[in-house]
Amino acid sequence: MNYVIAILYQATPSPIKNGIQKPMKPGGYSDSGADIACELHSKGIKVCTPVDRPHIENDLDWVFPDTDDGIENAIRKGAKIFWLNTVLYKGHPIEKFFDRDLELVGQIPHQVDTYDDKWTTNKLLKAHGILIPKTTLITEDNSKGYDQDLTFPVVVKPIRGRGSQGVSVVRDKNELDAKLADLFSSRQYGSSLYIEQFLSGQEITITVMPPGDYYINGENKHFEAPWCLPPVKRFNHKGGIAPYNGVVAVVENSALLDEKERNSKEIKDACHQCEKAAKLLNIKAPIRIDCRAGEKGHYFLFDLNMKPNMTGPSRPHRKNQDSLSLLAARGIGWNYLDLLKNMLRQRWKVSNLLTVNETVSTPDTQVNKNNLDLP
């Protein structure tokens, strides 16, 4: 390929917004960034790195911090494609480089800022007829006066969460009051939380790919709208919640649905709802949506992740690190490299730049797929 790729990781916590801060993953996704870089590099795709001779086990040898200096350093080393393997937000440093001749793999920063707010996203989905669980917003100021007619158990969640971190099931009002007091006093998740109807049915996670051109089973395929990879079912929950993948590798508690399950009406309906949600969000890269079935078997979308984890088995010490999205990709015959190369095919370039302080509902973009040596 003619262009050199740089992988960004999150170097500092994201800004506090309306009293809420998204918790930062230890290492800032440098582990998955290094997995991506190593896989591409080992297959002859040009990747630039902060050091000249990166060590296979040192994550930070393979990725650049998502700071002004980190991005400038990558550009000096020849980077023309930036893989935004980081938490994005309005005003993210990458926006300062939107006037450069760069291509991007990832979401539009200001849209991530908007839709990382689970309360905002749930209201949008509900307004468009997409099934979501019943939810109640709780702020620190009204934590004593919330809806007294809740049906327990319920799930307590951060507004800007990350996976299952900070998520718990509570069984009665006393337990809920104690959990709220603990979370608000810790300040870890900000001054607002929300509680959600607990769904007792099967949990699945669905990776939705953006519209574009893909290479699947030896053929080029074009998708006009977002489309779903095969769903993955989750099991071995702890306290009703799927464990955080930093504690339990997803390959230990997740598996592809079999063909019969995939073809059920309930699963097909869930995929259709996820595709509808992705279209509303104008996605430019994969997203992951977690769903659970209610008592009648219908699936509700309960968590939408604008930046799904992209870990993979590209290094000897990480052979069990398939992400949920990679497990899904294997269902259409893709390996880790296939998934990454098809994500690279969807890279985009800002072509009609407004100032980063203005709201852009749908920025004009140009996609250049001709400079990547993909089949």
Side-chain angles (χ1 to χ4, degrees):
M1 62 176 288
N2 297 327
Y3 281 5
V4 178
I5 302 165
I7 317 294
L8 296 183
Y9 76 96
Q10 185 184 9
T12 58
S14 56
I16 296 173
K17 185 171 183 178
N18 300 325
I20 303 166
Q21 185 172 44
K22 187 180 182 77
M24 182 174 169
K25 178 182 178 180
Y29 301 99
S30 58
D31 57 348
S32 55
D35 291 342
I36 294 167
C38 286
E39 182 69 11
L40 297 176
H41 173 74
S42 69
K43 302 303 189 296
I45 297 175
K46 295 179 182 177
V47 175
C48 65
T49 57
V51 299
D52 292 337
R53 294 177 178 166
H55 190 279
I56 194 73
E57 294 188 2
N58 190 344
D59 296 342
L60 296 179
D61 282 0
W62 294 91
V63 292
F64 292 86
D66 63 343
T67 59
D68 293 352
D69 289 344
I71 297 168
E72 286 280 12
N73 186 24
I75 291 173
R76 285 194 298 269
K77 288 176 172 283
K80 290 292 187 179
I81 299 173
F82 278 82
W83 194 302
L84 308 179
N85 191 51
T86 181
V87 172
L88 298 170
Y89 47 85
K90 186 176 181 180
H92 187 278
I94 193 63
E95 292 184 341
K96 297 177 184 177
F97 299 85
F98 274 6
D99 59 345
R100 307 284 187 99
D101 187 29
L102 303 176
E103 293 182 302
L104 305 172
V105 178
Q107 308 292 354
I108 300 169
H110 86 272
Q111 291 187 330
V112 176
D113 201 342
T114 299
Y115 300 125
D116 256 353
D117 184 316
K118 298 183 187 302
W119 183 253
T120 297
T121 301
N122 280 350
K123 288 193 295 182
L124 174 69
L125 299 182
K126 184 177 181 180
H128 286 83
I130 295 173
L131 290 177
I132 64 166
K134 180 182 177 182
T135 58
T136 301
L137 180 67
I138 297 183
T139 66
E140 191 169 12
D141 293 336
N142 78 347
S143 61
K144 302 294 184 182
Y146 57 83
D147 184 0
Q148 301 296 314
D149 297 324
L150 297 174
T151 300
F152 290 92
V154 296
V155 183
V156 182
K157 288 185 172 184
I159 297 291
R160 291 181 179 270
R162 183 174 59 79
S164 58
Q165 184 178 1
V167 179
S168 58
V169 176
V170 296
R171 307 290 172 179
D172 56 45
K173 185 179 183 302
N174 289 337
E175 192 176 344
L176 175 59
D177 289 340
K179 176 58 65 174
L180 292 175
D182 179 57
L183 290 174
F184 283 133
S185 64
S186 75
R187 301 291 175 183
Q188 187 175 4
Y189 303 106
S191 57
S192 297
L193 300 163
Y194 75 98
I195 51 179
E196 179 180 89
Q197 168 192 4
F198 177 74
L199 300 168
S200 59
Q202 177 170 261
E203 180 174 337
I204 60 174
T205 188
I206 299 176
T207 296
V208 190
M209 306 297 290
D213 295 315
Y214 292 85
Y215 191 71
I216 305 173
N217 294 327
E219 296 182 0
N220 289 300
K221 293 189 177 182
H222 178 74
F223 293 85
E224 290 286 346
W227 58 284
C228 293
L229 294 176
V232 172
K233 60 184 174 183
R234 312 296 309 277
F235 45 85
N236 292 340
H237 290 60
K238 303 295 183 184
I241 303 296
Y244 168 51
N245 61 14
V247 176
V248 179
V250 298
V251 295
E252 297 179 18
N253 61 16
S254 312
L256 278 169
L257 293 177
D258 61 36
E259 188 172 356
K260 181 179 179 181
E261 291 173 307
R262 289 186 218 173
N263 288 326
S264 71
K265 182 180 185 303
E266 290 79 10
I267 294 297
K268 287 184 175 181
D269 287 347
C271 289
H272 176 71
Q273 296 251 307
C274 289
E275 290 167 350
K276 183 177 177 180
K279 188 173 182 179
L280 285 171
L281 273 54
N282 186 33
I283 65 169
K284 300 296 182 188
I287 63 172
R288 199 189 77 231
I289 303 178
D290 299 326
C291 311
R292 261 201 189 185
E295 293 180 358
K296 296 182 180 180
H298 301 299
Y299 281 89
F300 294 74
L301 281 62
F302 72 85
D303 196 12
L304 191 151
N305 299 279
M306 292 295 285
K307 189 219 158 303
N309 208 356
M310 281 296 158
T311 55
S314 63
R315 296 181 284 168
H317 63 296
R318 290 175 60 81
K319 290 302 182 183
N320 70 336
Q321 288 301 308
D322 282 24
S323 66
L324 288 165
S325 295
L326 178 51
L327 287 180
R330 294 191 188 282
I332 61 169
W334 284 353
N335 58 25
Y336 191 37
L337 181 64
D338 295 327
L339 173 61
L340 299 181
K341 289 172 86 172
N342 277 286
M343 289 178 67
L344 277 167
R345 281 174 168 259
Q346 315 319 316
R347 65 193 191 274
W348 54 277
K349 181 188 295 185
V350 175
S351 62
N352 187 19
L353 182 68
L354 300 177
T355 66
V356 295
N357 292 321
E358 291 178 308
T359 299
V360 187
S361 58
T362 308
D364 292 332
T365 60
Q366 293 176 341
V367 179
N368 182 349
K369 305 180 182 70
N370 298 321
N371 295 313
L372 191 65
D373 61 346
L374 298 174

